[in-house]
Amino acid sequence: QDFEKEIPLEVKAEQKKIPFTRNGKNISIDIRLQMGSYWLKLMKNKGLDYSKEFTTNYKFELPPNDRTTDHIYAHKEVWQQYAAISGRSLDGYQLYQHIIVPGNNASDGIVNTDPDKTTLDNLGLQFKEWFAGIYYQPDDEKNNAWLPDRLEYQFDCSATDSIKNKTLKAEEYYQGQMDWYVFDIEENGRNGNGQPGNISTDTNTFIPSHVEFDGMPNTCWWKFEDGKTNLGDIQPSTTDLSKLLLMEFGLVFANDWFLVPYTLPIGSLANIEGLTVKNNFGETTWIKAAEESGSSNNAWSMFKLHATEQNNTLFLAPSAMKVHEGKPLEEIVLIRDEISNMVWGIETTIPLPLGKGDKGNEVALRTRQFHEKTVNQAPASVTVPYAAKINYLAMTDVPENWIPFVPVHIKNDTREIQLQRASMLRIIQGDTLDPVKVKPQTSILREGLEEIPKPLPYYIHEQEIPRSGVRVTQSFQRTRWINGEVFVWLGMQKKTGRGEGSSGLQFDKIADVKE
């Protein structure tokens, strides 16, 4: 994609499609209602009243209460919301899906005569522009930088001049705050395909000033320093490296730093070729970067991009200064279970169809209880008394928000392994139907399950799950850019977990017989 200085780099890199369906069932009801309300507002502003017709064609409909609709009837608040909007409210996303198809118009099935038909069709174009502006997301679901097998983002940024290509690579971005330390830089010769970017060269004349801070040694020997900040009174231990470095900078090298103000546009790559220093005697000296002087092993610099060779490029990332993060819609924790020899993906926050996240253990418990109540568990008549001395249990249960990942060999490799998503069975006593496989409900762990015509397996690199575990969250992000424009997007972050755990899963268990 082309670089756009009007868009923060976090928005470009983290953007993902908002999920409106899960396993073929409608979710994100809050956004659907928001879109429907805005469409009715557009018609009202134009003096049109087709709300009844649109609500009939694009309506919410409460499905029947059976085991296939556990996402509604297992949760009281979801069922109440569905019952309130069923047949009464407009599903704006259904309308949006219709008008984005080439050849379809908003007036289809509503009115066929002008001027109302033309007015509705024009409002449909305005409706699409509004939705594209309020939520920033890719046109193609697969056109995003998220790597599911790595649980992090990966992308490149490139700039071209008349001689070289400079490529900034963010191979492990997951912090949620993007800056120079996220990138590595590579330089190579132009291949003739890229067009030169906006390049400018500037030579400036200035008088540098010393960097000053409280407590620094005074350059005049006959003056006393301000006692409010006494760097000489710091008493670090031999392991306090940060304090020792601070003292060395403040007391030894403080007078070696100069301040040269220079304004650069954001999203730019800048190189200082050198400095020409002219002293009071009229002598000039050409000074290059410390790395180019042959002392690269001992050179130290701030805001330095990691490179395979010498490089002194400064990158001013077009990153957002402040990002407001909403409550997590999804949260998973990947932990190692050494007893079971597997990894568990625990869904600690699961998105409900209403559009908000709920505690994963409570969602799993309510879903389990819904299926248990549905199953006819009337006790069967027993004519022969049970007189066994032991109770044999083939397998214990785990909560339904615990998704197993089992180690499997990498294809065409007999040593290296990766983690493959598996499923536990929902086994209920007295159920006449075959046990079903419990699937994850978060889009983070549902990777590949929505593929058509058949679901795809999901693998995670084994080295991505350390002993400390991994926690991944997904939530809406909001920021205001330098031109005042507001961006809202769906982004993810990865953080360190809380260590190992155990699910208590056991096989072939012998227990005492209960009275």
Side-chain angles (χ1 to χ4, degrees), residues 386 390-397 504 506-511:
Y386 186 78
I390 62 173
N391 180 20
Y392 174 73
L393 186 62
M395 183 181 67
T396 59
D397 289 330
Q506 297 180 358
F507 298 92
D508 300 328
K509 181 180 179 181
I510 296 178

Side-chain angles (χ1 to χ4, degrees), residues 215-394:
M216 68 177 299
N218 201 304
T219 55
C220 299
W221 288 359
W222 57 86
K223 288 186 178 181
F224 292 96
E225 291 83 8
D226 189 355
K228 292 182 179 180
T229 304
N230 188 2
L231 297 177
D233 194 36
I234 301 177
Q235 299 179 359
S237 64
T238 55
T239 58
D240 291 338
L241 297 181
S242 58
K243 292 183 180 180
L244 292 172
L245 290 173
L246 176 64
M247 291 178 61
E248 185 176 13
F249 167 78
L251 298 176
V252 181
F253 302 106
N255 297 335
D256 297 340
W257 291 83
F258 293 89
L259 181 64
V260 182
Y262 190 81
T263 303
L264 288 171
I266 62 170
S268 63
L269 296 175
N271 286 81
I272 298 178
E273 299 297 336
L275 298 174
T276 299
V277 179
K278 185 176 182 179
N279 59 21
N280 294 335
F281 301 98
E283 301 172 339
T284 58
T285 305
W286 177 253
I287 300 177
K288 293 185 177 181
E291 290 184 349
E292 299 181 15
S293 63
S295 58
S296 59
N297 293 333
N298 298 325
W300 180 89
S301 59
M302 184 69 76
F303 311 114
K304 180 177 178 59
L305 299 172
H306 180 266
T308 55
E309 57 185 16
Q310 294 182 1
N311 190 286
N312 64 341
T313 302
L314 173 66
F315 176 49
L316 292 182
S319 57
M321 295 297 295
K322 178 66 175 179
V323 176
H324 297 277
E325 183 177 354
K327 293 183 179 180
L329 296 177
E330 299 181 4
E331 183 182 73
I332 66 162
V333 177
L334 293 164
I335 64 171
R336 289 189 173 272
D337 187 354
E338 299 295 345
I339 298 177
S340 301
N341 190 28
M342 64 173 63
V343 169
W344 292 96
I346 307 174
E347 298 178 312
T348 54
T349 302
I350 295 177
L352 295 177
L354 299 181
K356 65 177 183 178
D358 199 359
K359 294 181 180 179
N361 54 353
E362 295 182 2
V363 174
L365 179 61
R366 292 196 298 263
T367 303
R368 174 77 180 192
Q369 291 175 344
F370 172 79
H371 287 278
E372 290 178 347
K373 292 178 181 178
T374 307
V375 173
N376 183 12
Q377 295 184 349
S381 59
V382 180
T383 57
V384 180
Y386 186 78
K389 295 183 179 180
I390 62 173
N391 180 20
Y392 174 73
L393 186 62

Side-chain angles (χ1 to χ4, degrees), residues 160-215:
T160 304
D161 59 17
S162 59
I163 301 176
K164 289 183 178 182
N165 286 334
K166 292 188 178 184
T167 302
L168 300 172
K169 294 187 175 182
E171 297 185 349
E172 297 181 1
Y173 169 63
Y174 51 82
Q175 301 90 342
Q177 180 65 35
M178 193 177 301
D179 213 333
W180 57 272
Y181 47 79
V182 176
F183 299 92
D184 299 337
I185 188 170
E186 291 183 0
E187 291 188 8
N188 48 48
R190 281 195 61 187
N191 53 16
N193 296 328
Q195 296 294 329
N198 186 10
I199 305 169
S200 61
T201 303
D202 185 24
T203 302
N204 194 13
T205 302
F206 53 86
I207 299 178
S209 59
H210 280 282
V211 173
E212 297 182 358
F213 55 90
D214 293 339

